[in-house]
Amino acid sequence: MRSRMGVLVAAGLGLCLTSCAQVTKTLKAANLGSDVDKVVAATEKVQSCDKLKVEPAIQEEYALGSALAIHWAQRGGGLMLAGPAEQGLNTYVNTVGRNLAMQSPRPELRWTFGVLKDAEHFNALSAPAGYVFVTRGLLQGVDNEAQLAGVLAHEIAHVVLKHALNQYVSVKVSKCKLATGATAIASIGASMLLDASQLDGRLDLDANTGLMGEMVEGTVEAFGKGNRRDEELAADALAVELLLSAGYDPGAYSLLLGKTTGDGGLWANHPSKKDRQAQIDRLVQERREATDPLARVDVASLQRPALPAAFAIVGPGKKSTGVAKDAK
C-alpha cells in the first residue's frame, strides 16, 4: 500500500512539473489500477477540451451573434423602430454604419445597425457576425456625423477583430472542462461540448436551444468583465483607418471621447481617454506624413458632416456621462 501511495504522490507532484500529456503517459505506464485509470480518463477528457480552441465556423458565429443581438436589444429596452421618424433614424444609422463596414476587412458580413431606446446610458455594443447597437442616450451626445461614425467604426472594429468571438471560444473551453466532472455532465449541452471536443471543435448552436442559452449566458458574463486595454486600443486603431477610408475626420471621434467621463471604476480595464486620444492623433499624423502617396491623407479634406433632420427624433443633447461599453 505504501509503495502504491508513493507512486501516486510522485505522479501527483509531477502535475506541477510536467504537462498534462506527460502526466497521463506516466500514470498509464505505472499500471496502478482502476482508480488511477479513471483519473487518466478524466485527464484525457480535459485535454480534449483544448480542441475547442478553434475559430468558429461562420454559421456558428451567426448563431451566436444573432442570439447576443436579441439579448442586447431586450436589455436596451428594444429598438427605435416605431413610426416613420424612428424608422428614418434607423435607416440613417444603417447607411453610415454599412458604408464604414464596407471599408473593413469583413465587408461580406450581413452588417446590421440599430438604435436602442435606452436614453439613460451613453453606450455602444456589438456582437459577432456584424451586429452593432448604439443607445438613444449616446446619440443625444453626438454633435456631427463624424462622431457617430467614430463610435460605429470602433464597434465594427471589435467585430472584425473577433474580440467577442475569442471570449466565446474561451467560454466553450472552460465549460467543456467543467463538464468533465461527474456532476457537471447533467448540465444542458455539456455532452455536445464533449462531443465537439472529440471532433473539429465547432458547435451547431441552432440545433440545441439549451446549448445556445448556456453559451450566450457565458459570453455575456465574460463581456461583463470588459475587453483588455490592448483590444480597446486595437479597435480604436482600426476605427481610425475606417474613418479615413470613408473620408471622416477622426479628430471628431477624439473630441467625443474627450467629452465623456467615467475613467476607472467599471471602466478600469479601458485605456484612459487621454491615451486613446493620443493614439488617434498619432495615427492621423502618421498618415498625414506618409511617404507613400497611396497611404498619405490630406487632413484638410476630411469631413465632419452635419446631422440630418432625421436625427431630431433622439431628443435634446446632454452631457456624455459614460464610456462606450463593448461586446465585441
Side-chain angles (χ1 to χ4, degrees), residues 48-60:
S48 70
C49 290
D50 288 333
K51 294 180 181 178
L52 295 173
K53 294 179 181 178
V54 296
E55 184 171 306
I58 188 63
Q59 296 87 348
E60 189 175 352

Side-chain angles (χ1 to χ4, degrees), residues 201-222:
R202 293 182 169 89
L203 298 177
D204 184 359
L205 296 178
D206 288 322
N208 189 306
T209 56
L211 178 63
M212 172 79 83
E214 283 195 25
M215 292 299 101
V216 169
E217 180 181 355
T219 305
V220 168
E221 183 179 349

Side-chain angles (χ1 to χ4, degrees), residues 221-245:
E221 183 179 349
F223 155 75
K225 299 175 183 177
N227 293 302
R228 301 191 310 269
R229 290 174 181 268
D230 62 308
E231 291 175 329
E232 288 299 325
L233 291 173
D236 274 345
L238 180 53
V240 168
E241 293 302 316
L242 299 181
L243 291 170
L244 292 175
S245 295

Side-chain angles (χ1 to χ4, degrees), residues 53-84:
K53 294 179 181 178
V54 296
E55 184 171 306
I58 188 63
Q59 296 87 348
E60 189 175 352
E61 181 178 358
Y62 272 117
L64 175 69
S66 60
L68 280 173
I70 293 172
H71 176 84
W72 300 142
Q74 291 175 337
R75 201 170 77 171
L79 296 172
M80 290 185 65
L81 289 171

